[in-house]
Amino acid sequence: METPLLQRAKDRWGKLGSGFYAAVLSVVVLAASGLVGLLLHLPWLFPSLGPTVMLFFESPEQKASRPVNTVVGHGVGLVAGALCLYAFGLQDQPSAPVGGLTALHASVGSCRWA
């Protein structure tokens, strides 16, 4: 399921064309996400967004690039993050970028049930 633009880039420049296509579209999507975050004063860029965007544009025909896999994968990451937030008792603490990185943020031994 290649897009016509990707196919033209591959035909014209080979592997360099597909890499250029993926790089340009990734930069556009990440810049748009960053702009939305700036306009809303909320972080819209997160660590897993870059690899996800690159996967979508570099290999759109693979099963891993399906939207359902992305939604499920990010959902699992969200649930794991929320579980860790409550397991380590950080729900009432300011985030590390706002309140500074403390021993409570970094320590595995800070779990309330330990």
Side-chain angles (χ1 to χ4, degrees), residues 54-111:
M54 191 65 184
L55 179 66
F56 275 13
F57 293 125
E58 180 62 29
S59 54
E61 66 279 350
Q62 292 187 3
K63 288 183 179 182
S65 296
R66 292 182 181 167
V68 69
N69 292 344
T70 300
V71 171
V72 170
H74 285 285
V76 168
L78 182 66
V79 169
L83 287 174
C84 288
L85 178 75
Y86 288 100
F88 291 104
L90 295 171
Q91 67 272 17
D92 296 326
Q93 299 294 319
S95 66
V98 172
L101 185 63
T102 65
L104 185 60
H105 287 100
S107 173
V108 175
S110 65
C111 185

Side-chain angles (χ1 to χ4, degrees), residues 30-70:
L30 292 174
S33 297
L35 181 62
V36 168
L38 286 173
L39 293 174
L40 296 177
H41 302 288
L42 295 169
W44 273 54
L45 293 174
F46 45 92
S48 60
L49 183 61
T52 300
V53 169
M54 191 65 184
L55 179 66
F56 275 13
F57 293 125
E58 180 62 29
S59 54
E61 66 279 350
Q62 292 187 3
K63 288 183 179 182
S65 296
R66 292 182 181 167
V68 69
N69 292 344
T70 300

